[in-house]
Amino acid sequence: MTKLILIRHGQSTWNAANRFSGWVDVPLNRRGRLEAALAAYKLKDYKIDICFTSLLVRAIETAVICLTENEEICSGKNPVVKHNLDESQWHGWDKYEGDAFQELPIFTSMALDERYYGDLQGLNKAETAEKLGKELVHKWRRSFSVRPPNGESLEDTMNRTVPFFKERILTHLKKGDCTLVAAHGNSLRSIIMELDKLKPEEVPNLELATGQPIVYDLDESGNVVNKLILK
C-alpha cells in the first residue's frame, strides 16, 4: 500500500475576511501559517516522497511549511519547487534536475487551482448572500453543476482536477511514492468525490477544514483501502 495525503491550505487573508477567493492569489495569514506548521507535526509518522500543489501561493506556502517545519517527514531531503513554465516565462533555473536522493520535488499545476468564482471573486460571502439570497449563494457554493456568474461549477473544476490526478499523481502513487497534495477546498472536494465515489447529491455536505490533513491508504491499483482525518 501507499499513502496519499490531501491538505487544504491554511487560513488565508481572504478566508479570514469571508471573501470569495477563487483564482485571486492571496497569501496565508498568521493563523494559516500556524495551521500548516501544526499539520507538519500531525504528519510526523509519514515519510513524503513527492508533493503537488496548485499555482496559488496559499497552497504553495502550506506545502512548504509542512515540508520544512518538521524535517522528519522529508527524510532529510530538501524541498524544491518545480514550476511548469517555459523558458520565455521564467529564467531557466527551473530546468535544474537536482539529485533524487537529496531533494523532494514540489510540482505546481493550474489543474489543482481553486474553483474559479467569476463575478463573485473578492465579494464578502455573507453580504452577497444577504443581497442575492442565501439559497442561491449556497447553491453556487455547494452544488455540483451550478455555476456562479461567469465562474466554474464544481463539475467544471472536477473536469480538470481528476484527469490530472489520474495522469500525474496516481502514477506516483502506483509506484509507491507517499504523496502530499496541498490545494484548495473545491479542487480537493472534486478529487475526494472521485476517491470516495460520492454522488453529486452528496457534495453539499462535504466540508474540508483548513490545514487539516486527510490520509488515504491505496492499494497497488490505486483503490482506497482506508481513510484517516488527522484532527
Side-chain angles (χ1 to χ4, degrees):
M1 284 195 296
T2 188
K3 295 188 183 295
L4 167 66
I5 302 166
L6 307 179
I7 184 169
R8 181 186 176 192
H9 62 79
Q11 187 182 82
S12 73
T13 54
W14 277 21
N15 288 144
N18 200 28
R19 297 171 71 181
F20 289 100
S21 301
W23 290 354
V24 181
D25 206 3
V26 294
L28 299 181
N29 62 10
R30 183 173 183 272
R31 173 177 166 175
R33 292 190 293 274
L34 290 172
E35 288 176 339
L38 180 59
Y41 285 90
K42 291 178 182 178
L43 294 169
K44 63 183 177 61
D45 295 326
Y46 300 89
K47 304 299 181 185
I48 296 170
D49 299 301
I50 192 168
C51 178
F52 292 89
T53 80
S54 76
L55 294 182
L56 300 171
V57 68
R58 55 193 185 270
I60 297 172
E61 279 188 286
T62 299
V64 169
I65 292 170
C66 279
L67 295 172
T68 56
E69 188 69 24
N70 185 358
E71 296 179 358
E72 292 180 14
I73 65 177
C74 290
S75 299
K77 294 183 179 181
N78 297 303
V80 175
V81 179
K82 310 287 282 186
H83 298 280
N84 186 25
L85 299 170
D86 63 41
E87 198 161 344
S88 66
Q89 297 170 296
W90 212 244
H91 301 290
W93 61 264
D94 56 310
K95 305 300 181 186
Y96 171 70
E97 293 299 330
D99 185 334
F101 295 102
Q102 297 183 34
E103 289 155 6
L104 190 154
I106 302 173
F107 292 102
T108 63
S109 175
M110 64 186 297
L112 295 173
D113 283 355
E114 176 59 294
R115 171 185 174 189
Y116 179 54
Y117 269 108
D119 296 347
L120 299 184
Q121 292 193 156
L123 299 181
N124 180 277
K125 296 174 184 177
E127 292 174 0
T128 303
E130 187 68 26
K131 180 180 179 180
L132 300 179
K134 293 181 180 180
E135 185 176 339
L136 176 60
V137 173
H138 181 76
K139 187 179 294 184
W140 283 339
R141 294 184 62 195
R142 288 290 176 256
S143 68
F144 179 65
S145 58
V146 178
R147 297 185 179 102
N150 297 310
E152 286 185 318
S153 65
L154 182 61
E155 184 177 17
D156 294 326
T157 308
M158 192 174 197
N159 287 337
R160 57 178 165 84
T161 58
V162 171
F164 180 81
F165 175 79
K166 290 180 176 179
E167 294 165 14
R168 290 285 283 114
I169 299 173
L170 193 56
T171 301
H172 285 278
L173 291 166
K174 288 182 177 180
K175 291 195 302 182
D177 292 335
C178 180
T179 304
L180 173 67
V181 179
H184 307 267
N186 286 294
S187 54
L188 291 178
R189 284 170 76 214
S190 60
I191 291 173
I192 289 171
M193 277 189 69
E194 174 71 15
L195 290 169
D196 292 358
K197 307 303 180 188
L198 299 179
K199 298 177 181 178
E201 56 267 27
E202 297 176 279
V203 171
N205 298 320
L206 181 56
E207 293 279 357
L208 302 182
T210 55
Q212 187 173 83
I214 302 171
V215 181
Y216 284 90
D217 288 319
L218 305 178
D219 64 20
E220 59 185 14
S221 298
N223 299 310
V224 175
V225 176
N226 189 45
K227 177 181 177 181
L228 177 65
I229 299 175
L230 302 182
K231 296 182 178 181

